[in-house]
Amino acid sequence: MQVPLLDLKAQFRDIRREVMAAIEAVCDEQGFVLGPRVVELEKALAAYVGAKHAVGCASGSDALLLSLMALGVGPGDEVITVPFTFFATVSPITRLGAKPVFVDIRPDTFNLDPAQLDQAITPRTKAIIPVHLFGQCAEMETINQAAKRKGIMVIEDACQAIGAARNGARAGVLGDSGCFSFFPSKNLGGFGDGGLITTNDATLREALAMLRVHGSKVRYIHDEVGINSRLDALQAAILLVKLKHLDRWTEGRRRNATRYERLFAEAKLLERATLPQTEPGNYHVFNQYTIYAQKRDELKAYLKDKNVGTEIYYPVPMHLQTCFKDLGYRKGAFPVSERASETVLSLPIYAELADEQLAYVVDCIKEFYSRH
Ligand SMILES: *Cc1c(COP(=O)(O)O)cnc(C)c1O
């Protein structure tokens, strides 16, 4: 049996005709950058998320960069985020000359621990970037309250959380702007890079739309120094097709999560592995199914031998990355993030997984622990 961490070919088999028709239509039109299909996708995703506006761009990384640029973040400013995340949450902060200030995560949800937020806020704090890691929303009410008191903006890193919701509102409208990625492994993935920002603020929308095309509103007239970060028509056409299937795929991921819970319990593995916890009020979309596992590295190698794909998201927290060493953080500064990096393992969770594949994964894990 083979169980890859993600099988995009299985997904493509189901939607091949629709996707190929959409690609052919773009080829017939020969209009490739921004244009009507991107506008259509922006409208569809704004509606899906429940936001007034959406602005497409070249990647999730750029969605975060553009959001910070639009808020005028620069040298002398601080931006609060978590150390246990993908690199692109943090890199735009330093790229703009601002300083990342880290707050540790909660062990159960892997998301920013609001109890540690107040002590990180200073008069220089310009923005907070909570990450909805693995597909579950952070505690936005508490984060928003702390931000509002001090006039700080909140940018959601929702790159792993399209369709996730908290108390009935979807990721992307829970802060001042929401950043999404269409990297192929995300729950809504394109055939290449792509990203999008949602917001209810018309002024912010204007700024984002200008910054993504070299800071220009009228062609060849530049009010600001922006960047080239445009979404292309092929991606938009493919994403419009895939968006129609997103809720079904999300349900598939959630069904697999429930199956894992039952199988792990039946195999009496709950002493060896801690399964993902969903906070009450959260609708988890499981971009990753991430467990804490004893003897993690040996388990990962064992599963690889058994043709089960897994991954460590993320093996080195951001405060311990070489490129951020000038920030002066040491090992031990964020113990919950560090422990997560040492013990987490993400298992296959994609919608097309067959029951037998899921059962095989858990059988292999059981076999491993019976020997260790
Ligand atoms: C994928 C991801 C990004 C970056 O998205 P790209 O489209 O790959 O640039 C940012 N933050 C998180 C949490 C992500 O998972």
Side-chain angles (χ1 to χ4, degrees):
M1 177 112 45
Q2 301 268 346
V3 191
L5 180 63
L6 176 62
D7 185 358
L8 288 171
K9 287 180 188 161
Q11 186 191 67
F12 183 56
R13 249 177 259 130
D14 280 353
I15 56 169
R16 183 184 186 102
R17 289 173 62 130
E18 276 178 285
V19 169
M20 294 315 278
I23 291 174
E24 277 193 23
V26 174
C27 293
D28 286 336
E29 288 159 14
Q30 290 288 304
F32 294 116
V33 178
L34 294 176
R37 284 178 195 270
V38 171
V39 172
E40 197 186 332
L41 179 73
E42 288 170 342
K43 287 203 173 122
L45 276 172
Y48 181 80
V49 163
K52 289 196 184 124
H53 314 285
V55 179
C57 62
S59 67
S61 304
D62 275 3
L64 289 154
L65 177 64
L66 287 164
S67 292
L68 290 172
M69 287 173 80
L71 300 179
V73 169
D77 294 329
E78 294 176 355
V79 177
I80 294 174
T81 191
V82 286
F84 189 65
T85 182
F86 180 59
F87 181 70
T89 312
V90 183
S91 54
I93 304 170
T94 54
R95 182 154 299 291
L96 293 173
K99 182 182 162 197
V101 173
F102 294 117
V103 170
D104 212 350
I105 55 164
R106 274 175 51 168
D108 51 352
T109 60
F110 301 108
N111 284 332
L112 189 144
D113 182 357
Q116 302 186 45
L117 182 56
D118 272 335
Q119 68 203 49
I121 295 176
T122 77
R124 286 189 295 275
T125 309
K126 191 99 178 219
I128 305 172
I129 309 181
V131 182
H132 306 318
L133 202 69
F134 303 142
Q136 166 163 232
C137 293
E139 286 166 81
M140 296 302 293
E141 321 76 52
T142 327
I143 295 167
N144 283 332
Q145 270 166 26
K148 206 155 265 148
R149 277 202 300 274
K150 308 267 169 71
I152 298 166
M153 303 302 271
V154 178
I155 300 167
E156 300 171 73
D157 183 340
C159 286
Q160 299 183 5
I162 193 154
R166 185 166 175 91
N167 302 321
R170 279 192 167 142
V173 290
L174 305 173
D176 295 294
S177 76
C179 299
F180 294 92
S181 164
F182 306 126
F183 187 77
S185 68
K186 303 297 158 92
N187 285 17
L188 180 63
F191 287 11
D193 278 311
L196 181 120
I197 307 139
T198 52
T199 184
N200 283 329
D201 180 337
T203 313
L204 190 56
R205 192 218 88 88
E206 287 298 300
L208 292 165
M210 184 176 78
L211 287 166
R212 76 174 165 179
V213 287
H214 294 297
S216 143
K217 246 186 251 171
V218 178
R219 200 180 290 185
Y220 308 125
I221 307 297
H222 301 270
D223 303 327
E224 276 184 60
V225 180
I227 58 175
N228 170 6
S229 183
R230 302 169 299 209
L231 187 62
D232 66 75
L234 274 173
Q235 299 309 330
I238 292 162
L239 291 164
L240 278 163
V241 170
K242 290 183 83 171
L243 179 59
K244 288 187 277 178
H245 300 277
L246 178 61
D247 287 343
R248 177 167 65 81
W249 292 330
T250 300
E251 277 309 316
R253 287 171 179 273
R254 289 169 51 82
R255 189 182 58 235
N256 289 337
T258 308
R259 283 192 190 133
Y260 268 135
E261 275 174 28
R262 201 191 55 212
L263 292 168
F264 269 85
E266 282 169 9
K268 306 207 180 339
L269 283 171
L270 298 177
E271 310 239 301
R272 301 298 208 130
T274 307
L275 304 186
Q277 308 291 308
T278 305
E279 230 198 329
N282 268 349
Y283 182 82
H284 198 322
V285 297
F286 292 102
N287 178 239
Q288 299 297 340
Y289 190 83
T290 303
I291 66 171
Y292 288 100
Q294 291 179 8
K295 299 193 189 298
R296 190 263 320 263
D297 294 335
E298 292 105 303
L299 174 62
K300 183 175 185 353
Y302 184 84
L303 291 173
K304 184 166 184 249
D305 267 358
K306 300 280 173 187
N307 300 315
V308 174
T310 63
E311 192 51 89
I312 298 167
Y313 299 118
Y314 295 94
V316 181
M318 291 306 128
H319 66 288
L320 301 179
Q321 296 283 349
T322 307
C323 64
F324 297 136
K325 67 175 184 300
D326 290 350
L327 296 173
Y329 289 110
R330 296 237 177 95
K331 201 162 164 53
F334 302 105
V336 183
S337 294
E338 289 169 25
R339 189 182 154 258
S341 290
E342 286 155 12
T343 49
V344 288
L345 191 66
S346 297
L347 305 178
I349 188 74
Y350 58 93
E352 296 79 8
L353 273 177
D355 281 1
E356 308 80 69
Q357 287 176 300
L358 228 87
Y360 176 72
V361 173
V362 179
D363 279 347
C364 292
I365 296 173
K366 187 175 179 177
E367 222 171 78
F368 170 81
Y369 283 122
S370 71
R371 295 172 191 192
H372 292 81

